[in-house]
Amino acid sequence: MKKLNTRMFVTIGMLSALAYVLMLLNFPLPPFPSFLMVDFSDIPALIAAIAFGPVAGILVELFKNVLDYFMTGSDTGVPVGHTANFLAGILFVLPTYYIYRHFESKKGLLIGLVGGTFIMSIIMSVLNYFVFLPAYKYFMNFELPSEIIVTGILPFNILKGILITIVFTLLFSKMNTWFTKQLTYKRAA
């Protein structure tokens, strides 16, 4: 049991560091506003969740955002964007994990990733309307029209989820034996 916990914590730390680096390698997509940036930092959280459970995925999302906040800071002075990124990551990773665990197949993973994409996109649209856009207005005295949610944020989150789905599906097929080994260790403990 102790060996498994040490292995799990070391892997979570490494995946968190990788997620932080991937978060720094963000890029905009031309049709969307420049503040919406695509990064693949949710992929290490997905790996952690599938290999070690949902808490591991949440920890990777948390550590990634804490590292980024302390290393790069925030335009608002408070971690509004980091909180949004953390919640978006959790809203993507957790549904994917639970749906995949229900089916435990490549088809189940694909259903989970698509479900996670739509759950994250819809709930983040609501949270942006009621929480994050008002927070940016309060802290930066910068107001965006609420139509940006339907014309920018919702389609951006769907496209980002599709891109992450494609990349993670390709990675999963290459890492399938590693995932199986981790599940074997987890069940043996």
Side-chain angles (χ1 to χ4, degrees):
M1 185 79 165
K2 184 178 180 183
K3 189 175 181 182
L4 176 67
N5 287 339
T6 303
R7 176 185 313 194
M8 181 177 67
F9 288 127
V10 168
T11 306
I12 288 171
M14 290 186 331
L15 289 171
S16 299
L18 178 61
Y20 167 66
V21 170
L22 290 172
M23 192 175 192
L24 294 176
L25 300 174
N26 57 18
F27 57 92
L29 291 176
F32 298 106
S34 61
F35 63 88
L36 295 173
M37 305 287 269
V38 173
D39 65 64
F40 294 101
S41 64
D42 292 330
I43 291 174
L46 283 167
I47 292 170
I50 289 175
F52 302 111
V55 174
I58 292 170
L59 287 174
V60 170
E61 289 288 345
L62 176 68
F63 295 151
K64 162 190 81 168
N65 281 290
V66 168
L67 271 171
D68 190 62
Y69 178 67
F70 284 118
M71 297 303 281
T72 60
S74 172
D75 293 337
T76 61
V78 294
V80 176
H82 294 91
T83 303
N85 185 286
F86 174 70
L87 290 174
I90 289 174
L91 289 168
F92 182 71
V93 169
L94 291 183
T96 301
Y97 168 80
Y98 285 113
I99 293 170
Y100 172 71
R101 279 291 162 238
H102 181 71
F103 294 108
E104 290 204 21
S105 66
K106 288 184 181 180
K107 183 179 179 182
L109 177 67
L110 186 60
I111 293 169
L113 288 165
V114 170
T117 297
F118 285 107
I119 289 170
M120 179 262 304
S121 299
I122 292 167
I123 294 177
M124 284 308 294
S125 294
V126 173
L127 287 174
N128 270 294
Y129 184 78
F130 289 109
V131 178
F132 297 117
L133 291 181
Y136 276 113
K137 180 182 177 187
Y138 177 79
F139 288 112
M140 295 182 68
N141 200 20
F142 177 69
E143 187 170 3
L144 291 169
S146 57
E147 296 83 32
I148 192 86
I149 293 170
V150 175
T151 61
I153 294 172
L154 178 63
F156 172 81
N157 282 334
I158 291 171
L159 183 59
K160 180 181 175 182
I162 290 169
L163 292 173
I164 291 172
T165 296
I166 292 167
V167 172
F168 186 74
T169 303
L170 295 172
L171 279 174
F172 183 81
S173 64
K174 299 292 184 191
M175 296 179 68
N176 202 12
T177 55
W178 183 81
F179 282 120
T180 304
K181 186 177 178 182
Q182 298 309 313
L183 287 173
T184 305
Y185 285 134
K186 187 176 177 182
R187 289 179 181 150

